[in-house]
Amino acid sequence: MVILQQDFVFLACPMQSTPSYYPKQISFPTNTNIYNKNFFKPNSKAEAKLIDAKKHSESEKRRRMRINSQYTTLRDILPNLIKVNQNGDKASLLAEAVRRDECVLPGGVDKLSIEQCEGEKEGLVKATCSCEDRPGLKSEMTRAPSCVKGRVVRAEMVTVGGRSKNAVWLQRLGGGNEGVVALKRALKMVADRPVLPRNVSKKLPFPR
Amino acid sequence: MVILQQDFVFLACPMQSTPSYYPKQISFPTNTNIYNKNFFKPNSKAEAKLIDAKKHSESEKRRRMRINSQYTTLRDILPNLIKVNQNGDKASLLAEAVRRDECVLPGGVDKLSIEQCEGEKEGLVKATCSCEDRPGLKSEMTRAPSCVKGRVVRAEMVTVGGRSKNAVWLQRLGGGNEGVVALKRALKMVADRPVLPRNVSKKLPFPR
DNA sequence: GTGGACACGTGATAC
DNA sequence: TGTATCACGTGTCCA
């Protein structure tokens, strides 16, 4: 992607220069070398200890900066809501990031959940599923409920970094708890289907 | 929503009991009261100081616990990728959470960006836009490019907490940089339209 | 005066 | 080894 034009329209919050994140791989500009004992011989054991302490505290300071620059970024990208509520402290910031992530994005472990949507006259049920992404996953997810009663009225998919979160809404899912169990089984089969590497024969040469 | 059935299928990572987040409102079970000087008179100034220090360090420990329980949750919900790369330290964890959030979810400030998709023969352009959600926003976003050349081949929307992120893909956007500017202006008009409160006449009784 | 939030330097520990 | 990360207790600032 080549960014052609980018516009930032700041509403409530003032313009802030976001400190960029310094990855561990890129060394920070430090004066650590002058403390190197091979380069600068200390006069005594006490002096050596002091130098070590200084090195240590400076490296810890850099670590804190790395972490805090992430908090600053988080403060910038999270919606204003959290700021006006004075919930800008670290724990609340993290909690909000977790809440947003959990709500929409696929998790790292395979999950399957079925929920009853309240306030719906015709009994709307939402089935959510996180798993590895693969071609055709969404249509398989949408077709899976064909083994139970009910009609798919909506389907959503969000894929990030090879992991996929699928949601399917079903109207008039019949059969009570048995219907729920059957739906769950059908979706689980789709989610559990192994992702075969491309250009590899489906007949595996060894047992799984 | 009523959760009917929820299934967790742990693949690579072992079962972990995630410490739940303790919101600040709910007081932690502490023994703080026994340190209350009105309740338990200290014998000396030194003793009072020691009690204060103890109170302080315990409250700081609770704060650390609040923050760290969020990191644990984050470790659980972020995809495995990050774990196998041994990037489980706090800064990397935060960076990954930021990356995922930024990539898909709407931010707290209104944004508008237009990107050229590389490797596309027919000149595909992606326009992204974060703003307040409102009924009909997606269709307005999809219709907005009608004032420029090109065809909308795809549109996506993610809405979380009243904020919306919209993406529209255009094929064969003509007019060079002028086309980009015109597209930007059209989308900005849609994004900037004020959200009127429900059941309020569109004819405002006072000038804006 | 009280509690909450943060930065700091230090000891422990892992690789 | 040195070089990371982390938890801890403390000093300080602010509401």
Side-chain angles (χ1 to χ4, degrees):
Chain A
M1 287 260 183
V2 176
I3 295 186
L4 297 177
Q5 274 215 329
Q6 185 144 13
D7 231 39
F8 300 85
V9 185
F10 288 85
L11 292 178
C13 21
M15 187 73 173
Q16 273 184 312
S17 66
T18 310
S20 61
Y21 172 61
Y22 301 99
K24 278 181 292 182
Q25 290 76 17
I26 298 170
S27 66
F28 224 78
T30 74
N31 296 322
T32 304
N33 288 340
I34 67 159
Y35 303 126
N36 191 313
K37 273 169 250 167
N38 297 327
F39 181 79
F40 179 79
K41 251 331 192 234
N43 294 336
S44 64
K45 284 221 167 181
E47 203 175 298
K49 220 169 179 183
L50 225 85
I51 288 168
D52 274 350
K54 180 108 182 119
K55 265 176 71 178
H56 186 29
S57 94
E58 279 177 355
S59 124
E60 181 61 14
K61 190 176 173 66
R62 285 194 298 277
R63 177 179 162 268
R64 280 196 301 269
M65 280 175 68
R66 270 206 308 276
I67 293 173
N68 284 335
S69 83
Q70 294 299 323
Y71 281 111
T72 307
T73 312
L74 217 45
R75 249 179 269 266
D76 284 347
I77 64 174
L78 292 182
N80 291 325
L81 174 68
I82 184 170
K83 289 171 206 159
V84 301
N85 284 357
Q86 280 100 28
N87 283 330
D89 68 279
K90 292 182 178 182
S92 308
L93 222 47
L94 281 168
E96 179 66 8
V98 163
R99 201 188 60 80
R100 278 166 65 89
D101 196 299
E102 236 169 1
C103 159
V104 180
L105 305 182
V109 291
D110 289 13
K111 261 192 192 183
L112 183 53
S113 92
I114 295 176
E115 300 162 90
Q116 180 90 54
C117 301
E118 270 165 22
E120 291 285 333
K121 283 166 286 183
E122 305 207 73
L124 195 63
V125 160
K126 180 188 178 187
T128 319
C129 181
S130 284
C131 63
E132 288 292 305
D133 188 33
R134 62 172 189 266
L137 176 63
K138 188 179 181 184
S139 73
E140 285 180 50
M141 278 286 164
T142 317
R143 274 200 307 264
S146 63
C147 65
V148 297
K149 276 178 193 162
R151 195 168 58 94
V152 173
V153 291
R154 194 177 167 197
E156 277 183 8
M157 180 165 79
V158 176
T159 304
V160 181
R163 301 243 350 136
S164 183
K165 181 165 194 162
N166 295 268
V168 175
W169 284 260
L170 271 167
Q171 214 151 45
R172 286 188 292 272
L173 170 69
N177 193 51
E178 304 227 344
V180 172
V181 171
L183 175 61
K184 206 190 77 173
R185 202 182 311 123
L187 291 172
K188 189 159 157 43
M189 268 186 61
V190 173
D192 284 352
R193 190 167 302 164
V195 188
L196 292 167
R198 282 156 201 245
N199 304 326
V200 164
S201 163
K202 288 193 181 184
K203 285 193 179 176
L204 295 164
F206 46 85
R208 276 188 170 268
Chain B
M1 287 259 182
V2 178
I3 294 186
L4 297 176
Q5 273 217 331
Q6 185 145 15
D7 230 39
F8 301 85
V9 185
F10 289 84
L11 292 177
C13 21
M15 188 71 172
Q16 273 182 311
S17 67
T18 310
S20 60
Y21 172 61
Y22 300 99
K24 280 181 291 179
Q25 290 76 18
I26 298 168
S27 66
F28 224 79
T30 73
N31 295 323
T32 303
N33 288 342
I34 66 159
Y35 302 127
N36 191 314
K37 272 169 252 166
N38 296 327
F39 183 79
F40 179 76
K41 261 302 196 252
N43 293 336
S44 64
K45 284 221 168 183
E47 206 178 296
K49 220 169 180 181
L50 225 84
I51 288 169
D52 273 351
K54 181 107 181 122
K55 265 175 70 178
H56 186 28
S57 93
E58 279 176 356
S59 123
E60 179 62 14
K61 191 175 172 68
R62 287 194 298 276
R63 176 177 163 269
R64 281 196 300 269
M65 280 174 68
R66 271 207 309 275
I67 293 172
N68 285 336
S69 81
Q70 293 300 321
Y71 280 110
T72 308
T73 313
L74 219 44
R75 249 178 271 266
D76 284 347
I77 63 174
L78 292 182
N80 291 326
L81 174 70
I82 186 169
K83 289 171 208 160
V84 301
N85 285 357
Q86 278 101 32
N87 283 330
D89 68 279
K90 292 182 178 182
S92 307
L93 222 46
L94 281 169
E96 179 67 7
V98 164
R99 202 186 61 80
R100 279 166 63 89
D101 196 298
E102 237 169 2
C103 159
V104 180
L105 305 182
V109 290
D110 288 14
K111 261 191 194 185
L112 182 53
S113 92
I114 295 177
E115 302 162 89
Q116 179 90 53
C117 302
E118 270 166 22
E120 290 284 332
K121 281 166 287 181
E122 304 206 75
L124 195 62
V125 160
K126 180 188 179 187
T128 318
C129 181
S130 284
C131 62
E132 287 294 304
D133 188 32
R134 63 171 188 266
L137 176 63
K138 188 179 181 184
S139 73
E140 286 181 50
M141 280 284 165
T142 318
R143 274 200 308 263
S146 64
C147 66
V148 297
K149 274 177 195 163
R151 194 168 58 95
V152 173
V153 291
R154 194 177 166 199
E156 277 183 7
M157 179 165 82
V158 176
T159 303
V160 181
R163 302 243 351 136
S164 182
K165 182 165 193 162
N166 295 266
V168 175
W169 284 260
L170 271 167
Q171 214 151 44
R172 286 188 294 272
L173 170 68
N177 193 49
E178 306 227 343
V180 172
V181 170
L183 175 60
K184 205 189 80 174
R185 201 181 313 123
L187 291 171
K188 189 159 158 40
M189 266 186 63
V190 174
D192 283 351
R193 190 167 303 167
V195 189
L196 292 169
R198 283 157 202 245
N199 303 327
V200 165
S201 163
K202 288 195 179 182
K203 285 191 181 179
L204 295 165
F206 46 85
R208 276 186 169 272

